């Protein structure tokens, strides 16, 4: 039996995922040792269907605000929104230096500019080590669907903690070297105490395909097209954009860029040298009219069918510069993110209706995932061979499956830790355990300028309003004399067409008048009692007549 | 050159799809010849995300109501909701006899009972012919994911019209014979003027798998499980349910049924002899406590993660009879219908969290589609060899792809007709063309008891309310003296937490007071002008402060 504690590690390292567990998105992990805190990534997520009116969701920073003084820095794995998107909101509350690769920081910079914020940014390259308090963090080259992705290996007083970030194993990445397998194996041999590993594709067997395979499909399409080509993909997938531009150049086509985020990322990537575009290839999206169709490629945002994106606007004949015409070849180089299937097929249908020839994931191999599938995860586990393992980045089913994969490789189930956001894992040089402590780790809703001012009660109201609308009853009452001076009036929104239901509204008004008169007779003068009586009577009446339950809002004025 | 018209066919047959085109659901097709109308299917569809509060969507019956006297009957292809679900709403407006196979009518009967409606129902068997006005309709045995499915071949004065209904080619269906290929080929040889053919899976290459393959996967799972098995599937898939029960019997397990529609369909299918269950196998869902786990199978609804379904309630620990426990094997024998992916994975996650071992479509082959894929469609086209072809049942991308498949078989593009709901195809014995006529074919929303009383304006209001909530400004005003007698008060719902934003609400109240005072000074007495001024001022203020646009509702009372 190993001893469960010893002198050297009597103070445990605290590993706290504040976001990214039991969800896809808002990834952020905290390492805390005595007076030092290191943060890995700081992402946002997109709202679920029932989060009415919410723009984005960010992590709960309250634990970090409380321990502000301890924070030594944020280290970033790569430049996707679910890893960097919450940084502006973080920096509005907490000042901390940021560490990442050039492209990652370029994307952060762009984001901060939009928010009018400055930060201390520190560029790291693969192999660099950064000293942050007691922590020494080493950047290790990785591969993912955005260029310049890294894993982090952090030396802590409790041993090495290895965080994969998002990754896939691509032996032939476009425009770059593959993962630094040698260094991963070396770290594995030296001994890694805890690994946190991406679980997004844990339920997919086999391997993800190399980005090169997409390039081959695209090349075939480009070679065989005599018409205009419009191609949508994730703006952050610089490799994909590079491959599209390469193919365009090969077949002698010009390239125009559409969509704000695509324009931004292309500019940043060109400036930083991640995207190589020969002179005279790029043309302004507003100046494509005179270019023959077979000499033009348009790269656009909107591969997820986002309603305001450039591609959606083209599909709805609402794009300023581009009008879809018969024969246009439109390629959606992406797979729908779960939840977006409907919006994507809406856009596909509209494009087909306009006469375009649409190529999308149902039809051809025009996208590969950026996340490791089962066999790639096994490779990572086999290289790092961590003592303890914590699956991260995924819904519960992904984390659970990832744990099963680790077990299939011989890992003892008691050395695997599936946490929830806000849980604390205590790690020492010879033990790991989930504590009873819970750190605040709610989803914080951003709606317009408001951060966190829309919570569950407001959302519940929005849901109720969206389901059956509302009925407002308004009257001016003199309570001392017990007389209704004006009203009751009935106003509704989102309930029924009033014009076609005058009779129903009229009956409702009579009912409320009776209720108010009865209350006055009975000398009921308390506003709440009065409102309650009106609400109850009206709710029963409306439900009986329509089987609906609109929000009922009695408003009385004292006159 | 063939002549485009001749004496015999001077009056064309009118083929009118009122639903089922450019959508998945609410399938209904009208054949009209002079004073005779025949209706094929009468289905409903489920609301899209943006149809806030809508329960179901049904076809627009107004053309049929107008031509009520001509209607000779409704013939049904099979018993799925998207083919029979709107019958009760139809019968509330129009009386017409219904023709279908025994199981189909059993499912209709059950539906009519819930609505308290009776109808004249006529059972047909494979091979039967029914005379309806000028039309002679023949029922032909088919295969689909519900038992007792048929195609219809209708002799009309303009020639034979063949409607596949929903189908797949299953050479080894469970508990039944395969499609009547001989009869299909015979009809093809005799000559079919127009074919309407299911397009749901037109974008999927290859073949759909036989229902038998699912049986094999299930048998393996049943043989290797020592724990309780809970299995969710579509209640209408009687074949699947039969196979589950067969497997349960094989391994000596009892079967309990959970979920209203599953109980209904199992009862109807047993009564009609479509489902064969040995004695003493079924047990009451409320009496499973004393049965050892390894001797029990529970068949349940909820394979689409529907929030109120039995499986969802089990996952949320909200089911009266069944509590999920560690080790339970839960099988979702279905694929998520597009749009349901998120709700399905929510249920899967919750079940995993409760310790269940969940098997779902990501992990194993536990579902096959009921719709023909590309090669099966080619078989149907090759057997029927219609002169004209009209793809039905599908979004535009499916219809378009189906047209391409027909072209790949040598069909002349000018003989293929992609219609929209409400279009009219004129068919004669030697021609077909889409007319300029448009028959009303809107989506009719059912919300509670209301049919069609919620339209786009009401939905737009619900959407606005759901996005940012609303602010109500209320005041009692004496216009003749120009004095504000009470208020203005500000009430909000779904906007912000009022308690934490008292300051904002207070500022808004002051602003509105100023606006009203200014209006009174300027002697503005028109209610609309007054409301407009308040709305404009408040909207600007709120947007500046919050970047949100709640609905603003000024309500003034004259006192």
């Amino acid at each position: 039996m190993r001893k469960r504690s010893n002198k050297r590690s009597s103070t445990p390292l605290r590993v706290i995922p504040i976001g990214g567990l039991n969800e896809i998105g808002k990834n952020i992990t905290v390492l805390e040792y005595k007076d030092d805190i290191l943060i890995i990534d700081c992402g946002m997520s997109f709202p679920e269907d029932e989060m009415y009116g919410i723009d984005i969701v960010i992590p709960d920073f309250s634990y970090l605000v409380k321990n502000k003084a301890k924070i030594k820095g944020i280290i970033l794995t790569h430049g996707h929104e679910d890893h960097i998107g919450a940084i502006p909101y973080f920096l509005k509350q907490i000042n901390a230096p940021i560490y990442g690769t050039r492209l990652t920081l370029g994307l952060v910079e762009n984001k901060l500019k939009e928010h009018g914020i400055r930060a201390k940014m520190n560029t790291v390259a693969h192999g660099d080590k950064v000293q942050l308090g007691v922590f020494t963090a080493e950047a290790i080259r990785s591969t993912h669907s955005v260029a310049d992705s890294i894993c982090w290996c952090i030396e802590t007083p409790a041993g090495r903690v290895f965080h994969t970030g998002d990754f896939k194993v691509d032996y032939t990445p476009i425009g770059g070297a593959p993962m630094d397998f040698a260094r991963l194996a070396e770290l594995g041999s030296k001994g890694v105490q805890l690994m946190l590993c991406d679980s997004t594709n844990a339920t997919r067997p086999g391997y993800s395909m190399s980005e090169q395979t997409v390039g081959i499909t695209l090349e075939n399409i480009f070679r065989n097209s005599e018409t205009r080509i419009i191609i949508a993909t994730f703006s952050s997938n610089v490799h994909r954009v590079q491959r599209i531009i390469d193919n365009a150049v090969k077949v002698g086509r010009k390239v125009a860029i559409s969509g704000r985020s695509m324009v931004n990322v292309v500019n940043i990537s060109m400036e930083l040298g991640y995207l190589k575009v020969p002179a005279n290839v790029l043309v302004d999206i507003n100046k494509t009219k005179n270019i023959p169709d077979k000499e033009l490629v348009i790269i656009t945002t909107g591969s997820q069918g986002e309603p305001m994106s450039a591609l959606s606007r083209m599909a709805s004949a609402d794009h300023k510069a581009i009008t879809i015409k018969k024969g246009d070849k439109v390629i959606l180089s992406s797979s729908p993110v779960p939840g977006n299937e409907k919006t994507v097929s809406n856009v596909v249908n509209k494009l087909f209706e306009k006469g375009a020839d649409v190529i999308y994931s149902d039809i051809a191999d025009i996208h590969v995932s950026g996340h490791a599938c089962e066999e790639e995860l096994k490779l990572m586990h086999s290289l790092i061979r961590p003592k303890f393992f914590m699956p991260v980045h995924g819904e519960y089913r992904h984390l659970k499956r990832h744990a099963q994969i680790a077990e299939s490789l011989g890992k003892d189930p008691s050395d695997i830790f599936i946490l929830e956001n806000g849980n604390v894992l205590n790690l020492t040089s010879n033990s790991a355990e989930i504590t009873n402590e819970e750190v605040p780790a709610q989803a914080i809703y951003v709606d317009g300028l408001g951060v966190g001012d829309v919570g569950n009660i407001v959302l519940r109201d929005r849901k109720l309003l969206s389901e059956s609308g509302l009925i407002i009853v308004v009257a001016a009452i003199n309570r001392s004399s017990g007389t209704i001076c004006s009203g009751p009036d009935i106003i509704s929104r989102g309930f029924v067409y009033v014009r076609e239901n005058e009779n129903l509204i009229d009956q409702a008004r009579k009912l409320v008048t009776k209720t108010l008169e009865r209350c006055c007779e009975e000398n009921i003068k308390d506003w709440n009692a009065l409102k309650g009586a009106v609400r109850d009577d009206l709710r029963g009446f409306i439900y009986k007549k329509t089987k609906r339950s609109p929000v009922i809002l009695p408003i009385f004025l004292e006159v």
Side-chain angles (χ1 to χ4, degrees), chain A:
Chain A
M1 278 285 283
R2 243 180 304 123
K3 275 206 296 186
R4 297 295 280 174
S5 75
N6 66 15
K7 211 81 206 190
R8 209 185 103 222
S9 59
S10 58
T11 301
L13 173 77
R14 289 155 56 83
V15 181
I16 313 169
I18 288 180
L21 298 194
N22 297 319
E23 64 180 333
I24 300 282
K26 71 174 174 64
N27 297 292
I28 176 169
T29 310
V30 172
L31 302 187
E32 179 178 8
Y33 186 84
K34 289 183 178 166
D35 286 337
D36 291 324
I37 280 181
L38 176 66
I39 300 165
I40 306 166
D41 289 333
C42 184
M44 50 154 280
S45 66
F46 291 100
E48 307 269 323
D49 278 352
E50 69 275 20
M51 297 178 189
Y52 296 99
I54 299 303
D55 300 325
I56 65 167
V57 182
I58 60 171
D60 188 335
F61 295 130
S62 48
Y63 183 75
L64 295 171
V65 168
K66 218 175 96 189
N67 293 285
K68 215 183 256 209
K70 293 185 175 184
I71 299 172
K72 298 297 176 283
I74 304 178
I75 59 177
L76 301 175
T77 57
H78 64 286
H80 278 157
E81 290 295 345
D82 54 337
H83 292 257
I84 66 166
I87 293 177
Y89 301 92
F90 177 92
L91 291 175
K92 281 174 193 169
Q93 298 179 67
I94 303 166
N95 193 17
I98 299 172
Y99 299 82
T101 54
R102 273 175 65 222
L103 181 61
T104 304
L105 293 188
L107 293 167
V108 173
E109 188 82 63
N110 184 51
K111 192 165 272 302
L112 296 186
K113 235 185 259 166
E114 284 175 16
H115 283 261
I117 298 177
R118 283 161 169 276
K120 197 163 175 308
M121 311 261 252
N122 306 276
T123 307
V124 297
H126 320 301
D128 283 358
K129 287 184 185 178
V130 187
Q131 190 68 38
L132 293 159
V134 292
F135 305 110
T136 313
E138 175 184 348
I140 297 151
R141 196 172 55 226
S142 180
T143 42
H144 182 45
S145 46
V146 58
D148 231 8
S149 300
I150 51 177
C151 309
W152 284 101
C153 184
I154 303 132
E155 311 269 349
T156 81
R160 272 183 207 94
V161 174
F162 184 82
H163 195 304
T164 64
D166 286 356
F167 79 103
K168 69 184 289 186
V169 176
D170 193 341
Y171 298 103
T172 55
I174 290 168
M179 297 188 91
D180 189 347
F181 297 112
R183 184 60 184 151
L184 295 182
E186 203 174 0
L187 289 168
S189 297
K190 284 188 179 174
V192 169
Q193 191 71 357
L194 171 70
M195 175 166 81
L196 297 87
C197 183
D198 180 13
S199 311
T200 311
N201 268 349
T203 59
R204 293 206 201 167
Y207 297 88
S208 70
M209 298 297 287
S210 169
E211 183 68 29
Q212 295 281 4
T213 57
V214 179
I216 293 165
T217 311
L218 288 179
E219 187 170 338
N220 281 333
I221 297 173
F222 274 53
R223 288 213 179 278
N224 296 309
S225 291
E226 288 295 311
T227 60
R228 190 161 65 165
I229 294 175
I230 298 168
I231 180 161
T233 193
F234 296 109
S235 61
S236 63
N237 195 336
V238 179
H239 296 321
R240 186 81 45 91
V241 174
Q242 179 72 65
R243 195 62 194 247
I244 295 166
I245 291 173
D246 290 350
N247 277 319
V249 172
K250 261 190 214 169
V251 298
R253 288 180 183 246
K254 303 274 185 196
V255 176
I257 309 290
S258 177
R260 197 172 60 102
S261 73
M262 189 63 82
V263 169
N264 276 341
V265 174
V266 166
N267 286 340
I268 294 166
S269 308
M270 283 173 64
E271 272 169 35
L272 298 179
Y274 288 88
L275 195 62
K276 290 171 187 71
V277 188
N280 299 323
V281 166
L282 285 186
V283 292
D284 189 313
I285 188 75
N286 297 308
K287 291 173 184 159
T288 60
K289 288 245 163 67
N290 298 324
I291 300 172
D293 286 349
K294 62 176 183 179
E295 292 173 20
L296 183 62
V297 173
I298 296 163
I299 306 178
T300 176
T301 53
S303 64
Q304 291 297 310
E306 307 91 325
M308 299 308 292
S309 68
L311 187 67
S312 280
R313 281 185 280 125
M314 292 179 202
S316 312
D318 195 24
H319 192 280
K320 266 187 291 180
I322 306 297
T323 308
I324 298 291
K325 53 192 173 193
K326 199 172 154 55
D328 277 346
K329 185 147 277 172
V330 182
I331 305 168
L332 276 76
S333 185
S334 65
S335 288
V337 170
N340 289 353
E341 293 82 358
K342 274 268 172 185
T343 50
V344 170
S345 44
N346 284 344
V347 167
V348 169
N349 284 324
K350 281 190 201 159
L351 291 166
F352 266 126
E353 283 168 33
K354 296 212 154 31
D357 180 14
V358 191
I359 301 175
Y360 61 107
S361 59
D362 278 15
I363 292 180
D365 291 334
I366 36 160
H367 182 63
V368 293
S369 173
H371 296 274
C373 297
E374 181 170 338
E375 299 304 314
E376 293 160 85
L377 294 176
K378 287 179 181 166
L379 173 59
M380 184 59 86
H381 282 263
S382 303
L383 288 170
I384 299 298
R385 289 174 288 155
K387 170 133 190 50
F388 301 110
F389 166 52
M390 175 176 155
V392 294
H393 304 176
E395 300 170 17
Y396 190 81
R397 62 196 172 109
H398 303 117
L399 305 179
K400 177 78 188 169
R401 179 75 199 127
H402 199 172
Q404 286 170 346
I405 292 170
E407 283 178 46
S408 79
L409 293 166
K411 183 141 264 345
D412 187 331
S414 66
D415 289 341
I416 302 174
F417 298 89
I418 300 185
L419 272 70
E420 290 178 25
N421 290 335
N423 282 172
V424 178
L425 182 80
N426 271 354
L427 184 77
T428 70
S429 57
N430 55 14
S431 72
E433 61 172 349
I434 302 177
T435 68
N436 292 324
E437 193 183 339
E438 264 197 58
V439 154
Q442 287 200 330
I444 303 297
Y445 304 136
V446 178
D447 177 3
L449 293 182
V451 176
D453 67 340
V454 170
N456 291 329
I457 295 172
V458 173
L459 285 188
R460 198 203 51 198
D461 280 349
R462 289 184 184 174
K463 182 169 195 285
L464 288 174
L465 290 169
S466 80
E467 281 169 354
S468 299
L470 92 158
I471 298 178
I472 301 165
V473 179
V474 62
I477 297 174
N478 184 313
R479 279 186 290 179
S480 55
S481 67
T483 47
I484 305 165
C485 303
S486 183
D489 278 359
I490 293 207
I491 296 115
S492 82
R493 280 290 183 283
F495 173 54
V496 289
Y497 277 130
V498 173
R499 223 174 285 171
E500 292 168 16
N501 290 277
E502 276 176 4
N503 196 20
L504 179 73
I505 301 293
D506 211 49
Q507 287 176 43
R509 191 179 301 113
K510 281 177 189 150
L511 178 93
V512 170
T513 308
K514 253 191 220 163
T515 305
L516 285 178
E517 283 169 358
R518 195 191 68 222
C519 288
C520 288
E521 272 167 33
E522 291 173 9
N523 215 15
I524 297 172
K525 290 189 171 170
D526 175 57
W527 276 148
N528 285 333
L530 218 53
K531 287 179 181 176
V534 166
R535 203 182 281 121
D536 288 349
D537 285 3
L538 192 54
R539 182 187 292 131
F541 170 77
I542 293 290
Y543 188 77
K544 204 178 113 209
K545 289 284 181 184
T546 66
K547 284 273 187 301
R548 295 180 204 170
S549 305
V551 174
I552 294 178
L553 210 57
I555 304 175
F556 300 130
L557 292 173
E558 177 77 56
V559 286

